[in-house]
Amino acid sequence: MILILRPAVTPAEFKTILDRLEALGVSVHHAKGAERSVLTLGGDQEMLLSSQLEALPGVDRLVETRKPYKLASRDFRDEKTTFKVGKSKLGGKKVLVMAGPCSVESREQCYLIGDAVAKAGATVFRGGAFKPRTSPYSFQGLGKEGLEILAEVRERTGLAIITEVMDTRDVELVAQYADILQIGARNVQNFSLLNEVGKTRVPVFLKRGMMSTIQELLMSAEYIMSNGNENVMLCERGIRTFDTALRNTLDLSAVPLLQSLTHLPVIVDPSHGVGDWRFVAPMARAGVAAGADGLMIEVHHSPETAFSDGVQSLKPRRFAEVMAEMRKIARAVGRTL
Ligand code: PEP
Ligand code: MN
């Protein structure tokens, strides 16, 4: 059960509501959002339904849900969540594209790629300053210097910035620079990190883990939202299956499935999904056709010398072509891009 409070609830009304819930003996989790508070209630559903909680001053409504994820569910909110990303709106008619290199390598590299993806019509510039690498000996990212370069790209191009945060100790720092905080596939169930980004009011881009079920992904979104940050977007980036022919198996059926289960925007990352630049374009087009609200695509001007994920990166010219191809698909399914 979810008890949604009115935005204008007074402290006295709030206390009366909590006292009443305590008297009913139910457990209460308080998520204080930017606009209003939401109380997630444990306990017997029938008893709560008959307890006339909706009659209390300060209460907006009581929502019944049997899903383990509550704030992320369509029971809590049926209309799609939209929020501003840079100058655009995510979750609306327009399909937003986030593009850029896997890693922030240098100022020159980011300026070059940033200029190119902005010109091709992307809304967000991506680039990792903290990189989750399989080997401790591989390039780990430029850290704070990388964040500064990203901020310069935003200044220069007008693109919003998305970058990954890997550690609870870095959340405050990364949140000072990023317009969107990325939680990578490997950290999808790092609950301390999810709680920490949930305490910020910066939109969070949550990647599905390589072994996450759809329900586990939604439960991870619930961790963020239960801390009061409702601006969460979910990303399908490929999962591990028995087939090893490609880096991952891009589960595009997750897009319509997630759209039916949650009001949160859904993004497709075909680059990590296939791991081979030759197959990025068809899967990007398919992602738009499947109904994604956004795409994340890795772009590099010199994939052969990229510090990470060069094999799956599109060159700027090919990226511009893919943008045009996706635009046609978007139109065919009633969207813009
Ligand atoms: C990335 O976006 O570069 C990345 C590391 O992605 P994932 O967490 O999906 O592997
Ligand atoms: Mn990458």
Side-chain angles (χ1 to χ4, degrees):
M1 282 294 181
I2 312 167
L3 194 65
I4 303 174
L5 306 189
R6 292 187 190 283
V9 62
T10 65
E13 286 167 349
F14 189 66
K15 185 171 182 310
T16 309
I17 296 165
L18 287 186
D19 288 348
R20 180 69 189 282
L21 291 169
E22 198 183 342
L24 290 171
V26 299
S27 65
V28 180
H29 177 277
H30 178 198
K32 193 165 167 18
E35 280 150 36
R36 45 161 177 45
S37 281
V38 174
L39 304 178
T40 305
L41 312 179
D44 179 356
Q45 305 248 334
E46 300 310 319
M47 179 273 287
L48 284 168
L49 280 173
S50 62
S51 60
Q52 297 188 335
L53 288 167
E54 280 176 312
L56 289 174
V59 170
D60 180 8
R61 65 204 148 91
L62 184 67
V63 177
E64 193 179 0
T65 177
R66 288 175 198 275
K67 300 264 167 49
Y69 47 90
K70 307 204 180 286
L71 307 176
S73 79
R74 285 263 181 192
D75 294 333
F76 171 59
R77 186 187 299 145
D78 200 27
E79 73 273 19
K80 264 206 87 117
T81 286
T82 63
F83 44 91
K84 273 204 84 179
V85 171
K87 295 183 199 106
S88 301
K89 188 171 84 170
L90 179 68
K93 193 170 176 199
K94 187 172 157 77
V95 180
L96 301 194
V97 178
M98 313 183 182
C102 182
S103 299
V104 174
E105 299 168 10
S106 69
R107 179 170 288 110
E108 296 65 37
Q109 173 234 20
C110 283
Y111 280 13
L112 217 149
I113 302 170
D115 289 353
V117 301
K119 187 157 172 258
T123 302
V124 181
F125 184 71
R126 66 145 287 149
F130 295 93
K131 294 303 303 176
R133 303 306 300 279
T134 304
S135 164
Y137 309 119
S138 300
F139 176 65
Q140 304 285 311
L142 295 181
K144 187 164 188 281
E145 189 192 339
L147 297 174
E148 273 156 15
I149 294 172
L150 289 170
E152 289 171 28
V153 173
R154 171 173 47 213
E155 198 60 34
R156 181 183 168 94
T157 59
L159 296 172
I161 297 301
I162 179 170
T163 195
E164 178 164 354
V165 55
M166 287 171 49
D167 193 309
T168 50
R169 292 168 295 187
D170 296 327
V171 171
E172 207 183 312
L173 173 73
V174 181
Q176 281 166 22
Y177 290 88
D179 299 296
I180 306 172
L181 295 171
Q182 176 170 326
I183 300 292
R186 292 155 192 81
N187 271 319
V188 66
Q189 286 193 320
N190 181 338
F191 301 118
S192 333
L193 185 60
L194 300 177
N195 283 331
E196 218 50 42
V197 297
K199 287 181 201 148
T200 75
R201 291 299 172 262
V202 183
V204 178
F205 181 99
L206 178 64
K207 284 192 147 191
R208 182 179 184 181
M210 31 208 123
M211 312 179 298
S212 308
T213 64
I214 293 291
Q215 180 157 314
E216 284 164 349
L217 174 63
L218 288 165
M219 292 309 289
S220 292
E222 192 75 15
Y223 262 90
I224 300 168
M225 300 176 83
S226 66
N227 281 282
N229 188 349
E230 291 182 14
N231 290 338
V232 179
M233 58 201 102
L234 306 171
C235 177
E236 166 57 41
R237 48 76 75 202
I239 50 174
R240 285 223 169 129
T241 64
F242 56 85
D243 201 320
T244 54
L246 290 172
R247 182 175 180 178
N248 289 298
T249 297
L250 185 65
D251 177 15
L252 282 182
S253 58
V255 178
L257 177 57
L258 285 169
Q259 305 275 27
S260 76
L261 297 173
T262 179
H263 50 86
L264 300 172
V266 180
I267 317 283
V268 170
D269 170 354
S271 306
H272 294 85
V274 296
D276 180 329
W277 73 270
R278 294 173 300 161
F279 309 122
V280 169
M283 296 319 278
R285 297 194 299 258
V288 178
D293 298 297
L295 273 290
M296 171 174 266
I297 299 177
E298 286 187 337
V299 178
H300 202 287
H301 62 292
S302 170
E304 322 73 65
T305 58
F307 290 4
S308 58
D309 287 350
V311 282
Q312 67 192 36
S313 299
L314 296 180
K315 288 187 182 166
R317 204 173 65 194
R318 182 69 191 118
F319 172 70
E321 289 167 3
V322 176
M323 286 294 283
E325 294 163 14
M326 290 194 296
R327 211 164 276 136
K328 284 189 204 157
I329 308 277
R331 209 171 302 131
V333 294
R335 308 285 292 261
T336 59
L337 186 143

